[in-house]
Amino acid sequence: MNTLVVLLLILFGGGIIAYFAYNIHKIVGDIWLVLVGFAASIYYIGYLDVSQVLNIHLAGFVLTLALNSFSWIFGLLIAVLLPLVALYSIPYMKGQDRLGWFYMLFLFSVGGMYGILMAGDWLTLFIFWEIMTWSSYLIVIYRRSEDAPRVGLKYLIFSAIGAYSLLTAIVLIGANVHSLSISKFFEVLPMHSLGFKVLVGSLMLIGFGVKAAVMPLHVWAPDAYSTTPMNYTSMFSGALSKMGIYGIGLIVINLYYHSGISLAGEIVAWFGAITAVLATYYALIQKDAKRLMAWSSVAQLGYIVAGLGIGTKLSVFAGIYLAVLHGLFKANLFMAIGAVERQAGTTNFSELRALIRKMPWTFFSALISVIVLAGIPPLSGFVGKWMLYESMITSGHYVIVVFLFLASVAGFLYAFRFLFGVFLGQEEKEFEHVKEANPFMTVPMLLIALFLIVLGTFPGIMFKYIARSMADLGFYGVTYKMSVLTNDWGQSINMQYIAASLVIVFVLFLIVLTWVAYKNSRNVTTKDIHTSGEPPSEEDNYHFSENFYRPFQRAFAFVYKYAITPVYNEFARGIEDFFQYVRRLYTGNAQTYALYVLLFLAILFLIAKNIH
Amino acid sequence: MNIWNLLLSAIVTTLLGFIIGVTYMGIRRKIVALAQNRYGPPIYQNFLDILKFWSKESNIYHGVMHHLAPLWMIAMAITILLIVPTQYGSKFFENLSFNGDLILILYLMPFGQLGMALGVGQTGNPNSAIGVTRGLSLLVGSEIPFIMALIAVMIQYHTTSVTDLVRIQQEHHTWIMFSSPFAFLAALCVLPAMFHAGPYEVIIAPAELASGPMSEFGGKYLGTMMSAGSIFMFAKLTLFVDVFMGGSTNWLWLIVKTFTVYLFVIAVGIIMPRLRTEQAIRRLWGWPLVFAILAFIQVALF
């Protein structure tokens, strides 16, 4: 049997069975969910035959399922996240109702993602794209909170815009190329006119850009990411958004660079860079950990889009690397936020206080992920950032690299905001009862954190797969080394020496400092601090959480003045007014309707008379 | 490369960096005092201070991150000092300079600051956290003109490595401050902000406020932090000299050049009054940014 179909059967069949399993008992459902998660993951990594192709003839169309190395790496990301998220979900979703419904949609959306990656023709891609969109939409509105309908509607509207432009592009391809096969399309593309290429490319980029949350199509993302239950958000932001990146990668490289319109790629890169900067600026003024990370997702995806848009060997390499990395660390961060939400009951910065002593493991994994997010060496985030910047500098894109650098320096601000707001600061009695999260939640997070640490010094573990996937995009002869990074001008750095130097000095001084200071150490509380002779009383709490970056906001007030949401709202109001006007046609008077019929017949008659 | 040789030279470089850095700080205190019509402490005062901190018996412990904070700082400072080329042409003092990538060095700097920020956060002192937010906000101000200046230099000389830049300057007997003057000016303008000195000292607000990131650190922690701070300061000065002033072939020449740059930072600090954070960001995005853009135009045209 075809292995691709088996994987889809595991996920879709598993989803339907999960629905019934949860209706029997929660434990049965949980066991089934974890089984499906591990089965799909192990099957994908171990048993999937990449060379297999399946053609289904259906109503005159040929639906093709085929995987290539480029899509395989995105599938690998899903395969790594799925079992970990499944384990995490068991304690996280405890006490929620309609679990069967939730997990059925969950597995459907994962199946949809795999379907997109396997799609060999545009129609299959579109079908699975819609399955993924609909199941994720239903999960967004799963929690019956006040916000859910509004957020869901926003997500649905933008998804619909994306889907329609995707469909238009597919219809255009069908009409002009007479084949819906993806590889065939890219083959014959150079023969077509410039207008066709630009039109189809732009429509496709709108379709994929919605899921990748590229500005100005990002409006749904911060709301949807923060409203959804966190175990799905880690897939949502970690894996589902990468489907948009997958599509953008296909289009930008194959359609623009291989058929000679590199300017379009540059424009895409600029969209990515501006997304990165503005989303970072919005992330650092958020008052809620979920929303902060949601905006941060938008910003990080901006980097990836910029990397793919530049289109040199190193930048595409960096883009794919960052895409996989973002999937891992952002999933981890949303899991950590979910753990905090579950244990402390809130994710609002103005309520949370100093959870570091209560939730040390969650803090540790969040810290590692934040360091990776900020791109600080010697962890894996730096590897991606380095390759991205060097690729841009060596290919002469030095204005865009300044924008990305700005986004990344401002990224330190929200990174600290998140860690400080959730885990540090003055302790509060209200949170004394908080305990560390369930091991089912912490162990998956720690596993990802550990992998992110190792990947910093030995990025070659992942380079192997990325180098292979580059061949599918038309970049042949990509070389890589285990720990040495090289740019296009021939300069290189060795991550092993950097990690060794940092670790040796760190450990050396740790031993000395602990040895010398241990004996007379006095443990003090967060109230026992230097406050210029005004010791805080029991009731006082000097936690710093309001107006965190006020001076920064003042300095960059001109950025915060503008937002795209009012523009969309204005547009929607305009449309509404227009239809209010159109509505007046329905007067309710039979004579008016009779007039309409008469007018219609008259027009029909005139037209018919002129056509011979 | 011989690993023992590397270890030995690393230790020697670190010690030299430490001695020079701490002496510079002592000289700074003296100069500032003289400018304010005071007598001031002796030049070796900072050595005595560090010795005193390390011999303190009691130790205040706020938690793990607080304990680790100075270690992040010192690991970062020593690593950067080893990466930045101190001696052109010397086999012994090569250290890790083959890794001398400018982007790497720029990204290593937040490593220490992040550790410090976390340690500060765990103490629960609101003033310290405010100091950190100010520092991070200023970082956005100073880093952008500085990276633009560096990118202009990188593109002009077709290399991203500071070691290569030193080699090119030594071979061609030129200084980049003359061949790309605008990049030099941009970097020079933001230099005080990178040292948290001059008008950009709102982060630590010395002299009148018992606030700033350091306020909850005492004894051995503060001693480690001060050592790390002086090594880091010397590493930054060396980086600036390497990029714009041709590096050096011996320690004496390096000291002359770095001290000249440091004198500039001290002088600016004495003359200019302190700025508020948003004013500082606006000022850093004013003329320095103009110079940086001019540097880009220079690279694009010539």
Side-chain angles (χ1 to χ4, degrees):
Chain A
M1 198 174 172
N2 191 301
T3 51
L4 303 175
V5 178
V6 173
L7 182 67
L8 291 181
L9 277 182
I10 291 175
L11 287 163
F12 284 106
I16 293 167
I17 295 172
Y19 180 75
F20 295 110
Y22 273 100
N23 283 349
I24 297 167
H25 197 272
K26 186 180 181 296
I27 293 174
V28 183
D30 283 341
I31 292 171
W32 177 250
L33 177 74
V34 173
L35 272 178
V36 171
F38 274 94
S41 166
I42 291 168
Y43 192 81
Y44 184 81
I45 295 169
Y47 297 94
L48 202 73
D49 189 354
V50 185
S51 60
Q52 275 183 336
V53 178
L54 181 75
N55 288 317
I56 306 165
H57 293 271
L58 197 76
F61 290 106
V62 187
L63 302 182
T64 315
L65 287 183
L67 208 62
N68 60 32
S69 305
F70 179 52
S71 50
W72 191 86
I73 193 151
F74 289 92
L76 180 69
L77 173 66
I78 303 171
V80 170
L81 286 182
L82 182 62
L84 296 176
V85 173
L87 276 179
Y88 174 89
S89 300
I90 297 171
Y92 180 77
M93 294 301 283
K94 208 169 162 186
Q96 308 275 350
D97 56 344
R98 294 176 296 143
L99 280 178
W101 172 240
F102 178 80
Y103 285 115
M104 185 179 77
L105 296 168
F106 187 107
L107 291 174
F108 276 11
S109 77
V110 175
M113 290 183 222
Y114 272 120
I116 291 165
L117 296 173
M118 287 173 192
D121 64 297
W122 293 112
L123 197 62
T124 316
L125 188 137
F126 185 75
I127 291 168
F128 283 112
W129 188 267
E130 284 303 285
I131 292 175
M132 178 184 85
T133 302
W134 274 98
S135 43
S136 58
Y137 163 70
L138 291 172
I139 291 180
V140 169
I141 57 166
Y142 160 76
R143 267 193 192 162
R144 288 169 177 156
S145 62
E146 240 172 70
D147 267 359
R150 188 183 55 81
V151 172
L153 190 64
K154 223 191 230 180
Y155 176 50
L156 196 64
I157 288 173
F158 274 89
S159 293
I161 293 171
Y164 286 138
S165 63
L166 205 59
L167 193 63
T168 315
I170 292 170
V171 169
L172 279 174
I173 292 169
N176 286 294
V177 185
H178 306 298
S179 158
L180 287 175
S181 159
I182 293 178
S183 52
K184 178 96 186 298
F185 168 64
F186 290 132
E187 250 168 56
V188 301
L189 201 63
M191 287 181 283
H192 281 83
S193 68
L194 184 72
F196 176 70
K197 282 189 260 189
V198 170
L199 182 63
V200 169
S202 315
L203 286 171
M204 290 240 164
L205 282 179
I206 292 172
F208 293 127
V210 167
K211 282 289 181 296
V214 178
M215 281 186 184
L217 303 169
H218 68 285
V219 180
W220 60 273
D223 291 335
Y225 287 163
S226 51
T227 312
T228 316
M230 283 297 119
N231 58 341
Y232 187 71
T233 305
S234 53
M235 289 300 273
F236 205 167
S237 163
L240 198 146
S241 65
K242 301 301 169 301
M243 297 303 115
I245 297 294
Y246 167 69
I248 290 176
L250 275 184
I251 295 297
V252 168
I253 306 301
N254 286 320
L255 205 151
Y256 290 154
Y257 280 96
H258 292 173
S259 60
I261 358 174
S262 52
L263 181 70
E266 309 258 317
I267 293 168
V268 173
W270 268 105
F271 270 105
I274 288 167
T275 306
V277 174
L278 292 181
T280 303
Y281 273 56
Y282 279 106
L284 63 88
I285 57 166
Q286 298 304 318
K287 296 182 177 69
D288 188 282
K290 288 176 180 177
R291 286 190 68 82
L292 186 149
M293 276 306 153
W295 274 106
S296 150
S297 281
V298 178
Q300 297 291 323
L301 291 167
Y303 286 94
I304 300 166
V305 172
L308 294 173
I310 293 296
T312 67
K313 204 187 254 184
L314 191 62
S315 80
V316 174
F317 196 91
I320 301 172
Y321 178 85
L322 279 173
V324 178
L325 206 63
H326 176 255
L328 292 173
F329 74 71
K330 199 44 70 68
N332 200 357
L333 279 169
F334 277 119
M335 285 187 200
I337 293 173
V340 168
E341 185 194 22
R342 176 112 199 134
Q343 302 302 115
T346 174
T347 56
N348 196 330
F349 287 136
S350 56
E351 292 166 26
L352 280 172
R353 302 272 190 280
L355 294 178
I356 178 169
R357 282 173 202 258
K358 281 110 193 172
M359 307 179 73
W361 295 113
T362 310
F363 170 74
F364 177 74
S365 53
L367 173 65
I368 296 298
S369 304
V370 161
I371 294 177
V372 173
L373 181 150
I376 294 171
L379 298 194
S380 41
F382 172 71
V383 176
K385 288 262 167 78
W386 189 87
M387 291 192 296
L388 190 65
Y389 293 149
E390 301 275 317
S391 72
M392 289 183 176
I393 293 169
T394 52
S395 61
H397 296 90
Y398 39 85
V399 184
I400 210 166
V401 79
V402 172
F403 271 75
L404 286 184
F405 210 86
L406 171 60
S408 143
V409 175
F412 297 144
L413 273 75
Y414 72 70
F416 179 67
R417 173 82 170 115
F418 168 69
L419 285 177
F420 185 86
V422 177
F423 294 105
L424 304 171
Q426 286 218 325
E427 283 169 349
E428 172 79 53
K429 273 224 176 91
E430 195 190 322
F431 292 104
E432 255 170 21
H433 66 280
V434 174
K435 299 254 171 2
E436 178 58 281
N438 192 304
F440 278 114
M441 293 165 99
T442 48
V443 170
M445 293 195 277
L446 288 171
L447 282 176
I448 297 179
L450 203 67
F451 182 63
L452 290 172
I453 295 173
V454 173
L455 208 58
T457 316
F458 304 103
I461 300 169
M462 210 147 87
F463 286 174
K464 195 169 86 184
Y465 304 115
I466 299 174
R468 216 164 56 190
S469 74
M470 294 284 284
D472 270 325
L473 288 177
F475 295 99
Y476 299 104
V478 180
T479 55
Y480 67 94
K481 291 199 184 84
M482 186 46 97
S483 305
V484 182
L485 311 174
T486 311
N487 70 11
D488 292 344
W489 287 341
Q491 282 93 41
S492 64
I493 55 171
N494 190 334
M495 293 304 292
Q496 281 179 19
Y497 283 100
I498 299 154
S501 170
L502 287 172
V503 170
I504 288 172
V505 179
F506 193 92
V507 171
L508 208 69
F509 277 87
L510 176 65
I511 293 166
V512 172
L513 199 65
T514 314
W515 181 266
V516 180
Y518 178 69
K519 213 169 145 195
N520 292 318
S521 255
R522 185 160 68 86
N523 286 9
V524 292
T525 65
T526 50
K527 291 280 166 67
D528 193 357
I529 49 171
H530 174 75
T531 45
S532 307
E534 279 185 58
S537 66
E538 274 299 302
E539 308 83 61
D540 289 341
N541 194 305
Y542 287 178
H543 187 70
F544 173 41
S545 70
E546 299 296 323
N547 292 328
F548 210 71
Y549 289 118
R550 190 58 171 279
F552 186 88
Q553 271 172 271
R554 279 200 203 114
F556 291 101
F558 58 93
V559 176
Y560 294 108
K561 251 192 277 178
Y562 305 102
I564 190 82
T565 318
V567 179
Y568 284 129
N569 285 343
E570 208 48 44
F571 180 70
R573 203 167 302 142
I575 299 265
E576 224 168 60
D577 288 350
F578 174 71
F579 284 111
Q580 284 289 348
Y581 189 74
V582 172
R583 215 170 59 122
R584 290 192 198 155
L585 290 174
Y586 302 98
T587 52
N589 188 340
Q591 286 175 334
T592 329
Y593 291 149
L595 179 68
Y596 292 155
V597 172
L598 206 65
L599 280 173
F600 178 70
L601 286 176
I603 291 168
L604 213 62
F605 178 71
L606 284 173
I607 293 172
K609 223 184 155 192
N610 286 322
I611 298 171
H612 292 290
Chain B
M1 189 184 2
N2 189 338
I3 191 80
W4 296 112
N5 184 8
L6 179 64
L7 273 180
L8 186 68
S9 75
I11 290 166
V12 172
T13 314
T14 308
L15 279 177
L16 279 172
F18 173 72
I19 291 166
I20 297 171
V22 177
T23 315
Y24 278 15
M25 284 196 163
I27 295 173
R28 178 195 188 170
R29 283 171 80 169
K30 190 84 185 171
I31 293 176
V32 172
L34 290 175
Q36 291 170 347
N37 219 354
R38 288 187 284 125
Y39 189 72
I43 287 171
Y44 54 83
Q45 181 63 41
N46 278 34
F47 286 103
L48 299 182
D49 286 352
I50 289 174
L51 200 70
K52 184 190 78 181
F53 287 137
W54 270 93
S55 52
K56 287 271 186 194
E57 275 187 1
S58 73
N59 196 47
I60 305 289
Y61 176 81
H62 269 283
V64 179
M65 291 322 288
H66 176 249
H67 187 67
L68 298 180
L71 306 173
W72 296 59
M73 279 296 282
I74 200 150
M76 175 271 291
I78 291 179
T79 307
I80 291 184
L81 186 65
L82 294 183
I83 290 175
V84 174
T86 44
Q87 304 289 302
Y88 173 72
S90 159
K91 260 275 126 313
F92 181 71
F93 286 110
E94 196 192 2
N95 293 328
L96 298 178
S97 62
F98 57 89
N99 257 339
D101 191 274
L102 283 166
I103 303 273
L104 169 70
I105 295 170
L106 276 181
Y107 262 86
L108 266 172
M109 289 179 184
F111 179 82
Q113 281 146 5
L114 175 80
M116 174 119 159
L118 294 175
V120 158
Q122 197 175 25
T123 63
N125 192 324
N127 289 333
S128 305
I130 290 171
V132 172
T133 62
R134 288 171 174 179
L136 287 170
S137 305
L138 263 187
L139 194 67
V140 178
S142 65
E143 207 88 320
I144 297 307
F146 192 66
I147 187 70
M148 282 174 81
L150 290 186
I151 288 172
V153 172
M154 285 182 214
I155 289 172
Q156 191 168 3
Y157 289 92
H158 234 64
T159 178
T160 60
S161 158
V162 63
T163 316
D164 280 357
L165 285 177
V166 173
R167 185 179 50 76
I168 290 166
Q169 293 179 75
Q170 291 283 348
E171 280 171 4
H172 293 86
H173 302 287
T174 175
W175 287 3
I176 289 178
M177 63 181 279
F178 299 122
S179 61
S180 7
F182 294 118
F184 172 72
L185 278 176
L188 197 67
C189 289
V190 298
L191 203 60
M194 299 195 65
F195 284 90
H196 295 176
Y200 310 107
E201 54 189 350
V202 70
I203 301 153
I204 40 175
E208 80 272 16
L209 282 173
S211 61
M214 248 89 87
S215 60
E216 286 302 315
F217 292 91
K220 280 127 195 161
Y221 296 131
L222 193 58
T224 318
M225 225 168 236
M226 247 178 106
S227 320
S230 36
I231 296 173
F232 186 35
M233 185 199 77
F234 180 64
K236 276 191 279 193
L237 286 170
T238 314
L239 174 69
F240 189 83
V241 166
D242 280 343
V243 174
F244 292 106
M245 296 164 74
S248 80
T249 46
N250 58 54
W251 280 96
L252 192 68
W253 203 205
L254 184 67
I255 288 170
V256 170
K257 282 182 179 174
T258 50
F259 190 69
T260 316
V261 176
Y262 195 54
L263 265 183
F264 168 78
V265 175
I266 298 173
V268 171
I270 292 170
I271 297 164
M272 308 266 254
R274 184 183 303 158
L275 297 170
R276 289 209 316 256
T277 315
E278 64 263 31
Q279 292 171 328
I281 296 175
R282 280 194 205 118
R283 178 163 300 187
L284 286 168
W285 277 40
W287 280 107
L289 210 58
V290 173
F291 288 134
I293 291 167
L294 284 174
F296 269 23
I297 292 170
Q298 187 203 352
V299 171
L301 293 183
F302 304 106

